């Protein structure tokens, strides 16, 4: 049972890291495109993680 919990935690950690990486990429693109509104929204979303 403990092994399963560790596996689930590992999956959750990888999932969170993937979400963060995607957000960082989207933020980079929004900044490059000068989309200040999207930048603010993505920054707010990152703070929620």
């Amino acid at each position: 049972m403990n092994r399963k919990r560790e596996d689930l935690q590992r999956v959750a950690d990888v999932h969170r890291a993937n979400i963060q990486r995607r957000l960082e990429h989207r933020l980079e693109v929004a900044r490059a495109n000068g989309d200040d509104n999207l930048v603010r929204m993505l920054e707010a979303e990152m703070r929620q993680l």
Side-chain angles (χ1 to χ4, degrees):
M1 186 68 168
N2 196 22
R3 171 78 174 164
K4 186 173 184 174
R5 185 170 293 163
E6 290 173 5
D7 289 345
L8 289 175
Q9 183 60 51
R10 214 167 304 133
V11 168
D13 291 344
V14 168
H15 182 63
R16 180 177 213 158
N18 286 338
I19 291 172
Q20 185 170 350
R21 191 182 55 203
R22 277 302 253 158
L23 272 172
E24 288 169 355
H25 175 72
R26 291 175 64 207
L27 186 56
E28 184 180 314
V29 171
R31 284 184 177 137
N33 289 334
D35 192 339
D36 294 333
N37 187 45
L38 182 55
V39 167
R40 282 190 299 276
M41 289 190 312
L42 292 171
E43 287 173 339
E45 190 172 339
M46 286 187 78
R47 284 190 297 272
Q48 293 176 4
L49 291 179

